[in-house]
Amino acid sequence: MTRQLDEQIAGRFPVGQRLRVLDVGMGQGTQALRLLRAGHRVTGLERDARMLSAAHEALAAEPEGVRERMRIIEGDGRDTGVHFLPGSFDVVLCHGVLMYVEEPDPLVAGLARMLAPGGLLSLLVRNGDALAMRPGLSGDWRSALAAFDTTAYSPEFSTPLEQGGPPPRLGLEMRADRLEALTATLAGIGAPLYAWYGVRVFTDTVPHGTPPPADEDELSALLAAEERAGRTDPYRRVAALLHLCGVRG
């Protein structure tokens, strides 16, 4: 996903431009800190106390010149209008958040309003058209059959990215988004879909906590295969996650 995001930023903004970035549901700040180190000004919005603590701790380890370009706010992504003026950002990230929101359209519309004209909206969502893949490949046939007719799914089949987000309440079913529905939503809020990718096409069934390959050549081949599949039909359509990039008109 990092490579995909960098590709979209490089293709939309001049080299060297210091961008104003909003990371909604920033978690422990992985993407925010990476963009911060690249020279951009980043605002992170997060409501989970555990994640806020981790983000502050990571930021404290950065040089002063980096830290001064970062702002961390405790808050909910649905309240962006309370904290910021419309058009305040060049890039808005919302990664691994919509699966926890019962009604995502108002949140996405609010995020689009934060973008300046030509700004980039980056969404990472659970793929509602591929919910049967993981239980099916794991041999859980009843769960696979049930997944064809729903966009709800159990935390048992969440990805490591989602497991790193706010912990779901016991028994809670999270929700996924379908590409067609999100495409229509983005068009309706004035930030039509510009590009989309699949994420975790081949590796979604790898147990959480499994370390990456120690051999650099093997790791490079794994990443290359995932990146190629993530931009190629029909593979990207059965990815565990979808990365959608909309552009504010």
Side-chain angles (χ1 to χ4, degrees):
M1 185 192 68
T2 293
R3 297 182 184 185
Q4 297 162 359
L5 179 60
D6 285 349
E7 176 183 278
Q8 291 301 316
I9 289 176
R12 181 143 299 276
F13 302 102
V15 175
Q17 180 178 341
R18 181 170 288 186
L19 301 174
R20 302 163 298 166
V21 180
L22 173 63
D23 190 353
V24 174
M26 67 178 290
Q28 60 189 7
T30 301
Q31 286 292 339
L33 288 171
R34 189 184 68 82
L35 292 170
L36 193 67
R37 296 181 192 118
H40 305 302
R41 294 190 174 276
V42 181
T43 300
L45 191 63
E46 176 58 59
R47 68 176 182 178
D48 184 78
R50 175 172 56 92
M51 292 298 174
L52 281 169
S53 178
H56 279 290
E57 183 177 350
L59 181 62
E62 298 293 325
E64 182 180 355
V66 173
R67 294 198 308 269
E68 67 184 11
R69 286 185 278 103
M70 179 78 188
R71 181 185 180 196
I72 297 177
I73 299 174
E74 181 177 0
D76 192 299
R78 289 166 288 194
D79 298 326
T80 50
V82 174
H83 300 288
F84 316 110
L85 293 174
S88 295
F89 298 95
D90 304 301
V91 178
V92 173
L93 313 179
C94 185
H95 297 163
V97 173
L98 294 191
M99 59 273 294
Y100 298 101
V101 179
E102 186 175 352
E103 294 292 340
D105 285 4
L107 169 60
V108 177
L111 300 181
R113 283 193 293 272
M114 296 300 104
L115 285 170
L120 176 68
L121 175 61
S122 174
L123 303 174
L124 187 70
V125 303
R126 184 74 179 182
N127 184 4
D129 293 319
L131 290 180
M133 290 297 295
R134 191 172 192 187
L137 292 173
S138 301
D140 184 348
W141 310 120
R142 290 182 178 82
S143 293
L145 284 169
F148 285 105
D149 302 312
T150 184
T151 54
Y153 67 101
S154 168
E156 177 184 355
F157 293 109
S158 64
T159 69
L161 174 96
E162 293 159 280
Q163 291 165 0
R169 295 189 302 272
L170 185 63
L172 176 70
E173 283 195 329
M174 295 185 285
R175 51 168 299 282
D177 290 280
R178 299 189 186 277
L179 176 62
E180 183 178 2
L182 270 181
T183 299
T185 295
L186 291 171
I189 60 176
L193 185 67
Y194 181 78
W196 70 277
Y197 309 86
V199 177
R200 297 183 67 87
V201 177
F202 301 127
T203 57
D204 190 50
T205 57
V206 175
H208 182 42
T210 302
D215 182 81
E216 290 188 7
D217 289 340
E218 184 179 358
L219 177 59
S220 178
L222 183 156
L223 293 173
E226 280 284 355
E227 185 177 14
R228 178 73 178 272
R231 62 178 69 243
T232 305
D233 287 326
Y235 305 102
R236 63 178 178 168
R237 292 188 174 273
V238 295
L241 302 163
L242 296 178
H243 181 198
L244 291 85
C245 298
V247 174
R248 183 71 172 171

